[in-house]
Amino acid sequence: MMKYLPPLLLLLLSGLCGRSQEPPGRYNRDSLARQAEQPLPDSVRAATFFRLAEDWIEQDTGMAKKYAGQGKRLVHDNVRLQGISLYYDARLLAFTMPDSAAAIYLQAENRLKKFTDKEALRYRSMCWHDYARLLHFDKDDSESYINLMMERAIPLALQSGDRVWLGRNYLDLAYGFKNLQQHPKAETYLKQAIETLRDEKSGISFLTAAYHTLSENNSLSGHPAEAAAYMDSMRLLLLPYPHAAAWLDYYAGESMRLTVAAKFEQSLEAADKGIALAKQLKRTYPEQRLLLQKFYALYNKKDLAKARDVALDLSERQPFIHVAMNRLLIYYGLVVTYEELHNIPEAFGWLKRYSNLRDSISKSNLEAKINALEIKYRKAEDQRKITALNAANDKARSALKRTRLLNWSLSVVVLLLFSILLLGYFFYRNRKKTAAQREQIKVSQAMLQVQEEERQRVARDLHDSLGGLLASTKINLSAIAGHQPELKPIISQLDVSVTELRKIAHNMMPEMLLRLGLEAALQDLCNAFTTEQLMVRCQCLDIQPDIPQQEQVTIYRIIQELLTNAVKHAAATRILLQCNQRDNRFFITVEDNGKGFDTTADAKDGMGFINIRNRVAYLHGSIDIVSPQNRKGTSINIEVYVTSAIPAGHPG
């Protein structure tokens, strides 16, 4: 019966083996340690400490815990780093508190799932990988382990682009298939792991583990030559690293291969070398695995007493015996060893312990499978509900979309109607306002026209009637003045009166404007304003003679009022009048050096300025007043429109 024991035990145990990082490491520890001490941002230093924790975690949990704690203190409000910190919290709890660790793995994944960068994807894959391992080893649920590896951990590892981590996932998936005795699938993923890791220097430890496991498969399948070839490949990889922890896997695999080949002395020699190295490296669990290989070699060599002693020693060793499957293997080994030593009472005692443990494991396996089926059922039921809910949501979204489209269309129509009404209102109001302005302009035009006509009538009456009367009176008095000298002062007063009368008549209707036109009248007006205290200059350019007389009079009155205001209100000593005509546009500029224009409402609403505005409006023009504060001088710019014809050959 014991002939088949070693292959069975090795097969069951293979998934429980631990592995160590190789000397090249995933990161350069010294470089990372120096970087962590630099005055860098807390987020950078935290990430550095977490990388150090990852590099130490499979060799020295104390160092890993130290670096993870230092990183955790620098996380603050960074959600991404919070997720990474939770991952290491779970990793450090996985062996002693697996249930708590499982919950924390899921919390970490939930924190990280909103991030899509490659590092976050790798950590998410690590969360699912380690969560699946807990189901595998703590709950003995190989099926869930394989499903999570294939559906969660490996796809995320592929997305992350980390080939070392992807190769390790393929390797661990192969262990899952191997524990379910699905050797062809296990071999497929082992070869995929080798292909992925072949050129990755930092993945040597996983590559050697893949060779080691393939060698075991071939040993158990009765292919010793292939098994030896894979062990040789593993040994060649490890030669540059004589103290690498991966040698422990090599010695375990070589001892097993030699035991199956019935080379027991060589098997014991390989196991002893491995045990010595494990003690040197202080790797407790690998040392206990090698002791198990030594037990197999001793038992098959029929050195039963030594085999019994090794098995009894292992039955009390931690952490090896903590694993239920390991206890089952040792109990069964002691049963068959005591049986062959003809110690039936001891054999029966160990058999009873073996049976109780096997029943307990079987019950746990059954419960795990029932839980797995229940989970699958719940997932299927949830998926059905989700599908139904999605269909209902799609229907509701379609209805909502139609409602929104209808509401939007109605809103557009209402807005359009409102806009039309608003535009119509503004158009009506502007039209009404424009009509009122036009009516006001017509009234102003009529008033100005009546005013000018009245000015002309009064001017004629003053000139022809009163002027003639005063002139005849002067002549009569002059005739008798030689006999009566006292009349001479009266004659002088009559001369002054005639002069003033002529001025009044001229202001009311300038004779120069009627006889010689606008330009000559403006020159005469400026000369009339010029005194010893005031200099008025007039510059006219391109003024056409065919401007209608009424428009000429209006322009003359505008300028006359502007000059009067400059003299009366600004106390100016220099005034410049510029007039320019371009086609049917007439430009007027009056500049003075007076005290400035008062821009208050009272000044603008004076009778003189009202007359100016009315006359400008009569000619459809505009006024611009420039009078800087705290500075002397005012510039008034007026643009009006006249009905002058454009002369032939005139530009524009």
Side-chain angles (χ1 to χ4, degrees):
M1 178 178 66
M2 200 56 195
K3 176 181 179 182
Y4 301 102
L5 179 60
L8 174 63
L9 295 178
L10 285 169
L11 176 65
L12 293 171
L13 185 62
S14 60
L16 304 173
C17 62
R19 296 180 301 280
S20 300
Q21 296 271 347
E22 293 305 312
R26 185 173 182 82
Y27 305 104
N28 186 319
R29 292 175 181 171
D30 293 338
S31 175
L32 287 176
R34 287 193 298 271
Q35 180 178 326
E37 299 304 322
Q38 297 299 314
L40 298 169
D42 286 352
S43 59
V44 176
R45 294 183 62 221
T48 304
F49 281 126
F50 288 140
R51 292 189 188 103
L52 282 166
E54 182 179 341
D55 210 49
W56 278 105
I57 204 160
E58 291 191 13
Q59 295 182 31
D60 189 331
T61 55
M63 291 292 290
K65 187 174 183 180
K66 167 191 168 185
Y67 287 123
Q70 289 176 318
K72 188 173 184 177
R73 285 192 289 272
L74 299 172
V75 166
H76 307 309
D77 296 329
N78 190 314
V79 177
R80 191 170 177 278
L81 290 176
Q82 287 174 0
I84 296 173
S85 178
L86 283 171
Y87 166 77
Y88 288 107
D89 288 345
R91 187 84 178 271
L92 293 167
L93 285 174
F95 186 73
T96 56
M97 301 175 65
D99 291 336
S100 298
I104 297 174
Y105 279 133
L106 296 179
Q107 291 176 24
E109 202 281 335
N110 187 57
R111 292 283 180 92
L112 292 167
K113 68 181 180 182
K114 64 180 69 175
F115 301 100
T116 57
D117 59 282
K118 291 187 175 182
E119 186 179 18
L121 290 169
R122 182 172 70 87
Y123 271 108
R124 288 182 63 197
S125 175
M126 291 163 67
C127 288
W128 284 114
H129 169 276
D130 291 4
Y131 175 75
R133 280 175 61 87
L134 286 177
L135 294 180
H136 189 192
F137 297 121
D138 189 60
K139 305 298 183 184
D140 198 25
D141 187 356
S142 298
E143 292 181 6
S144 295
Y145 169 77
I146 289 173
N147 287 336
L148 287 173
M149 290 293 294
M150 297 185 73
E151 295 176 8
R152 298 299 185 102
I154 290 177
L156 287 168
L158 277 166
Q159 292 179 53
S160 75
D162 189 327
R163 293 184 63 81
V164 174
W165 177 246
L166 178 61
R168 176 170 181 177
N169 276 267
Y170 285 139
L171 179 60
D172 288 347
L173 180 60
Y175 289 145
F177 282 119
K178 187 178 177 190
N179 288 345
L180 291 175
Q181 301 184 27
Q182 297 183 26
H183 300 294
K185 285 188 177 181
E187 187 157 341
T188 297
Y189 284 104
L190 285 169
K191 289 180 178 178
Q192 199 163 350
I194 289 172
E195 186 64 29
T196 304
L197 296 165
R198 193 186 303 278
D199 299 323
E200 303 296 327
K201 187 176 181 182
S202 61
I204 291 176
S205 60
F206 306 125
L207 183 58
T208 56
Y211 281 128
H212 162 248
T213 309
L214 272 173
S215 175
E216 285 185 355
N217 271 7
N218 281 275
S219 292
L220 297 172
S221 304
H223 301 101
E226 288 83 350
Y230 284 124
M231 291 307 297
D232 286 341
S233 296
M234 181 180 182
R235 183 177 58 82
L236 289 173
L237 281 172
L238 290 174
L239 283 177
Y241 315 108
H243 299 292
W247 279 105
L248 303 176
D249 286 340
Y250 172 79
Y251 287 128
E254 188 69 0
S255 176
M256 174 216 166
R257 184 183 70 82
L258 292 169
T259 297
V260 173
K263 298 179 180 180
F264 304 122
E265 292 297 335
Q266 292 173 313
S267 175
L268 287 169
E269 183 180 350
D272 285 337
K273 285 183 179 179
I275 290 169
L277 180 60
K279 289 179 178 179
Q280 180 183 345
L281 297 177
K282 298 181 181 179
R283 304 300 294 271
T284 305
Y285 191 79
E287 177 188 353
Q288 294 164 4
R289 286 179 50 241
L290 286 158
L291 284 171
L292 183 63
Q293 295 300 329
K294 186 173 182 178
F295 163 74
Y296 296 148
L298 289 169
Y299 176 84
N300 284 280
K301 186 186 174 187
K302 298 304 177 185
D303 195 343
L304 299 175
K306 288 184 179 179
R308 176 201 60 203
D309 293 342
V310 172
L312 286 172
D313 181 32
L314 271 176
S315 69
E316 297 178 354
R317 291 254 192 153
Q318 293 286 350
F320 185 83
I321 206 65
H322 176 78
V323 181
M325 189 60 68
N326 290 354
R327 293 201 301 275
L328 192 66
L329 298 175
I330 291 299
Y331 294 169
Y332 186 73
L334 285 168
V335 170
V336 295
T337 302
Y338 276 116
E339 184 182 1
E340 292 208 23
L341 285 171
H342 306 292
N343 189 339
I344 302 304
E346 287 292 336
F348 180 77
W350 286 104
L351 179 60
K352 186 175 179 180
R353 295 171 72 176
Y354 168 78
S355 298
N356 291 336
L357 180 59
R358 183 185 61 187
D359 292 342
S360 175
I361 292 175
S362 298
K363 183 179 179 181
S364 298
N365 289 342
L366 179 61
E367 289 176 353
K369 289 182 179 179
I370 291 173
N371 289 336
L373 288 173
E374 186 179 359
I375 290 171
K376 288 181 180 179
Y377 169 76
R378 283 203 300 268
K379 284 183 178 179
E381 186 67 15
D382 290 344
Q383 188 61 44
R384 183 187 65 77
K385 290 179 180 178
I386 289 170
T387 303
L389 185 60
N390 286 339
N393 287 340
D394 289 340
K395 186 176 180 180
R397 278 195 294 268
S398 298
L400 181 61
K401 188 176 181 181
R402 288 194 298 271
T403 303
R404 284 179 177 173
L405 182 60
L406 179 60
N407 290 339
W408 184 82
S409 301
L410 289 174
S411 299
V412 169
V413 171
V414 170
L415 184 61
L416 185 60
L417 289 174
F418 179 74
S419 300
I420 292 172
L421 290 173
L422 193 62
L423 288 172
Y425 169 74
F426 281 117
F427 176 75
Y428 169 76
R429 193 176 72 171
N430 288 337
R431 188 173 180 180
K432 187 176 180 181
K433 184 178 180 181
T434 303
Q437 289 174 343
R438 287 176 179 173
E439 187 64 26
Q440 185 177 3
I441 289 173
K442 287 181 181 179
V443 172
S444 298
Q445 289 175 348
M447 291 177 63
L448 289 172
Q449 188 172 356
V450 169
Q451 187 180 47
E452 290 300 327
E453 289 175 354
E454 183 64 18
R455 281 173 177 266
Q456 290 181 17
R457 187 188 65 78
V458 172
R460 283 195 303 270
D461 290 345
L462 288 174
H463 185 273
D464 296 339
S465 178
L466 184 59
L469 181 61
L470 289 174
S472 62
T473 302
K474 176 185 174 183
I475 293 171
N476 293 329
L477 288 175
S478 297
I480 61 174
H483 304 287
Q484 298 180 6
E486 63 273 9
L487 294 178
K488 289 183 180 181
I490 297 173
I491 294 172
S492 297
Q493 290 177 353
L494 283 173
D495 285 336
V496 172
S497 298
V498 170
T499 302
E500 288 299 321
L501 181 63
R502 286 177 179 175
K503 286 183 179 180
I504 293 170
H506 181 270
N507 286 335
M508 294 188 72
M509 179 51 62
E511 185 179 355
M512 189 72 70
L513 177 64
L514 300 177
R515 288 191 297 106
L516 299 178
L518 179 61
E519 184 172 348
L522 293 176
Q523 291 285 356
D524 183 63
L525 179 65
C526 291
N527 292 335
F529 272 94
T530 300
T531 64
E532 292 182 0
Q533 292 78 25
L534 174 65
M535 182 180 68
V536 182
R537 293 173 54 201
C538 178
Q539 296 177 353
C540 295
L541 181 65
D542 293 336
I543 296 178
Q544 302 302 315
D546 59 350
I547 299 174
Q549 189 177 76
Q550 184 62 39
E551 294 177 4
Q552 291 187 41
V553 171
T554 302
I555 293 171
Y556 181 87
R557 296 298 184 199
I558 292 171
I559 295 171
Q560 187 181 38
E561 193 69 45
L562 290 174
L563 294 177
T564 301
N565 285 343
V567 173
K568 183 178 179 181
H569 300 294
T573 59
R574 288 194 303 275
I575 301 174
L576 172 64
L577 167 66
Q578 292 178 319
C579 294
N580 179 25
Q581 184 178 352
R582 296 178 190 172
D583 301 334
N584 65 335
R585 292 188 298 170
F586 196 98
F587 301 93
I588 303 168
T589 300
V590 175
E591 297 180 356
D592 66 65
N593 66 343
K595 60 184 179 180
F597 186 85
D598 187 357
T599 57
T600 63
D602 291 342
K604 285 187 177 181
D605 292 340
M607 184 58 67
F609 205 80
I610 290 174
N611 289 333
I612 292 172
R613 281 208 307 265
N614 288 337
R615 288 184 170 93
V616 170
Y618 169 71
L619 296 178
H620 309 289
S622 60
I623 304 176
D624 179 39
I625 301 173
V626 180
S627 182
Q629 292 184 353
N630 302 322
R631 287 176 56 186
K632 287 187 176 183
T634 299
S635 176
I636 299 177
N637 303 292
I638 296 175
E639 178 183 356
V640 295
Y641 290 85
V642 296
T643 54
S644 172
I646 301 174
H650 191 274

